[in-house]
């Protein structure tokens, strides 16, 4: 995700200019990885910019803090308000929003007790997470030699900064092999997830996705897709899934706030289905995109719509 600077970043309650949102090099999180973050999108809708499942993202951020033992100085409502402020002040019509809670400067050593906590919220324009073409054509992936963390090592359900070293190893290896992303197995060899997205398989009309015991992040887009699939009358199974099921199905797709609903057309050199964006994945992608872009009614109450940014009056007007 290329960073495209916007005007301001919310920093502990203040909106500071993008270039001035700085921290000390001896900040605790930079050294030991204790922090949590979120990632969500705002889409342009006919009524103004719409943020997808804002409250659920902020709840997960608060939950992530609880899991890793960080006393976040803000509640869910304050964080939601701060996100709205950040998007509005930057006059962003659509893009990506990144809240981050981190430990600052006061002491080093693994014991984080007493380190000051800070929260920032930044937002910038973002197109397709895997590139524009992948939104239609899908992506190629390989199974990673890096496993997801065991359930008693890192807290996979927390969107914690330190967990993303694992994601980076998966992504770097995948890129080295010429893939768009890697699929990680859990410590027992069951399918877990991609480096930054959940995975779904479709076989004979039924939809399968790894359960929360498979070292996944409890994805919010995953929840959206499960809801939409059930609404369409489809069977959705959240279960442990063996690796071999990656290869003998009709469709595979990934879900994520950034990744949206992206088809996987090839895994480890084997074509999935007929190698195109499959019909069930496509119907779920379309149903999701129609809601977030405000093309259909927001029947599940997922969207927070902001007043449309005021356009600058044309010169001479
Ligand atoms: N798994 C991982 C490891 C992720 O980083 C993400 C992106 N947040 C997801 C799954 C998808 O989660 P969500 O749909 O909430 O963005």
């Amino acid at each position: 995700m290329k960073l495209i600077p916007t005007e301001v970043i919310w920093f502990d309650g203040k909106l500071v200019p993008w270039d001035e949102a700085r921290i000390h090099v001896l900040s605790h999180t930079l050294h030991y990885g204790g922090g949590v973050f979120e990632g969500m999108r705002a889409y342009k809708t006919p009524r103004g910019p719409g943020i997808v499942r804002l409250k659920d993202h902020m709840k997960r951020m608060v939950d992530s803090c609880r899991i890793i033992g960080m006393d976040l100085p803000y509640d869910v409502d304050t964080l939601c308000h701060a996100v709205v402020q950040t998007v509005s002040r930057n006059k962003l019509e659509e893009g990506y929003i990144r809240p981050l809670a981190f430990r600052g400067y006061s002491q080093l050593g693994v014991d984080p007790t007493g380190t000051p906590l800070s929260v920032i919220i930044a937002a910038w324009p973002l197109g397709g997470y895997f590139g524009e073409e992948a939104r239609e054509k899908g992506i190629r992936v390989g199974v990673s030699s890096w496993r997801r963390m065991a359930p008693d090592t890192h807290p996979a359900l927390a969107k914690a900064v330190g967990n993303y070293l694992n994601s980076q190893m998966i992504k770097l290896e995948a890129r080295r092999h010429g893939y768009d992303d890697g699929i990680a197995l859990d410590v027992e060899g069951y399918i877990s997830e991609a480096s930054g997205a959940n995975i779904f398989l479709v076989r004979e009309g039924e939809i399968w996705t790894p359960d929360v015991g498979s070292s996944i992040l409890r994805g919010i887009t995953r929840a959206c897709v499960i809801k939409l699939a059930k609404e369409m009358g489809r069977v959705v199974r959240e279960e442990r899934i063996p690796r071999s099921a990656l290869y003998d199905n009709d469709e595979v797709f990934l879900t994520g706030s950034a990744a949206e609903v992206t088809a996987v057309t090839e895994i480890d050199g084997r074509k999935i289905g007929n190698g195109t964006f499959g019909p069930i994945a496509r119907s779920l992608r379309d149903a999701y995109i129609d809601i977030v872009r405000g093309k259909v009614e927001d029947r599940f109450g997922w969207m927070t719509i902001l007043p449309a940014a005021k356009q600058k009056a044309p010169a001479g007007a």
Side-chain angles (χ1 to χ4, degrees):
M1 292 192 290
K2 191 173 156 38
L3 283 171
I4 300 171
T6 50
E7 226 173 284
V8 290
I9 291 178
W10 191 95
F11 199 153
D12 288 334
K14 294 199 183 78
L15 291 167
V16 303
W18 177 282
D19 286 334
E20 289 169 29
R22 298 205 186 100
I23 57 162
H24 199 280
V25 291
L26 295 176
S27 295
H28 200 273
T29 299
L30 194 55
H31 296 250
Y32 302 109
V36 310
F37 67 103
E38 271 304 321
M40 57 198 147
R41 278 192 191 251
Y43 288 91
K44 185 176 176 181
T45 81
R47 292 191 291 137
I51 303 170
V52 185
R53 301 194 70 166
L54 171 59
K55 196 156 189 177
D56 295 312
H57 278 281
M58 293 303 92
K59 272 191 190 147
R60 186 171 67 186
M61 183 151 167
V62 168
D63 288 343
S64 295
C65 286
R66 283 226 305 268
I67 293 173
I68 74 159
M70 257 177 94
D71 287 323
L72 194 65
Y74 305 103
D75 63 13
V76 170
D77 287 342
T78 309
L79 292 169
C80 288
H81 179 71
V83 168
V84 167
Q85 233 189 325
T86 308
V87 174
S88 308
R89 266 296 294 275
N90 285 311
K91 299 186 187 68
L92 201 62
E93 284 196 311
E94 70 173 56
Y96 185 75
I97 305 160
R98 166 55 54 85
L100 167 75
F102 62 96
R103 297 185 193 277
Y105 170 91
S106 73
Q107 64 194 53
L108 283 184
V110 289
D111 183 1
T113 313
T115 45
L117 284 184
S118 281
V119 173
I120 62 98
I121 301 165
W124 60 89
L126 175 69
Y129 178 66
F130 293 105
E132 273 329 295
E133 236 185 44
R135 272 178 155 163
E136 271 310 312
K137 285 200 165 160
I139 58 168
R140 298 168 52 248
V141 305
V143 170
S144 183
S145 68
W146 292 95
R147 302 284 183 97
R148 292 289 286 165
M149 42 284 201
D152 53 356
T153 55
H154 279 229
L157 287 181
K159 196 165 169 62
V161 174
N163 289 351
Y164 284 80
L165 175 56
N166 177 255
S167 293
Q168 287 178 53
M169 301 311 288
I170 294 164
K171 190 76 170 185
L172 283 172
E173 184 188 65
R175 291 191 60 152
R176 210 173 53 243
H177 292 163
Y179 298 128
D180 298 296
D181 204 354
I183 302 299
L185 306 178
D186 72 9
V187 75
E188 293 186 64
Y190 292 90
I191 302 168
S192 179
E193 59 181 353
S195 64
N198 292 111
I199 186 167
F200 287 76
L201 316 176
V202 181
R203 187 181 154 85
E204 293 174 357
E206 291 188 353
I207 298 172
W208 300 68
T209 194
D211 65 343
V212 286
S214 303
S215 294
I216 63 163
L217 182 72
R218 209 192 304 253
I220 290 169
T221 323
R222 175 183 180 274
C224 292
V225 161
I226 291 173
K227 187 125 198 154
L228 291 166
K230 288 184 175 166
E231 189 189 42
M232 290 172 187
R234 300 218 166 265
V235 173
V236 182
R237 300 187 190 279
E238 292 178 60
E239 288 179 20
R240 293 180 109 188
I241 309 173
R243 173 178 180 170
S244 43
L246 285 173
Y247 311 118
D248 73 343
N249 54 64
D250 307 316
E251 298 179 38
V252 176
F253 59 94
L254 303 183
T255 65
S257 301
E260 301 169 311
V261 180
T262 300
V264 174
T265 55
E266 190 189 304
I267 305 180
D268 292 336
R270 298 156 172 87
K271 218 198 287 181
I272 303 300
N274 64 4
T276 61
F277 210 131
I280 294 179
R282 188 176 287 277
S283 68
L284 290 164
R285 192 273 311 263
D286 291 348
Y288 177 74
I289 293 295
D290 281 353
I291 294 180
V292 298
R293 291 202 175 276
K295 289 189 182 140
V296 299
E297 191 207 333
D298 175 23
R299 58 193 180 281
F300 304 116
W302 289 343
M303 305 300 291
T304 300
I305 308 285
L306 279 50
K310 292 219 168 45
Q311 299 300 316
K312 273 195 192 131

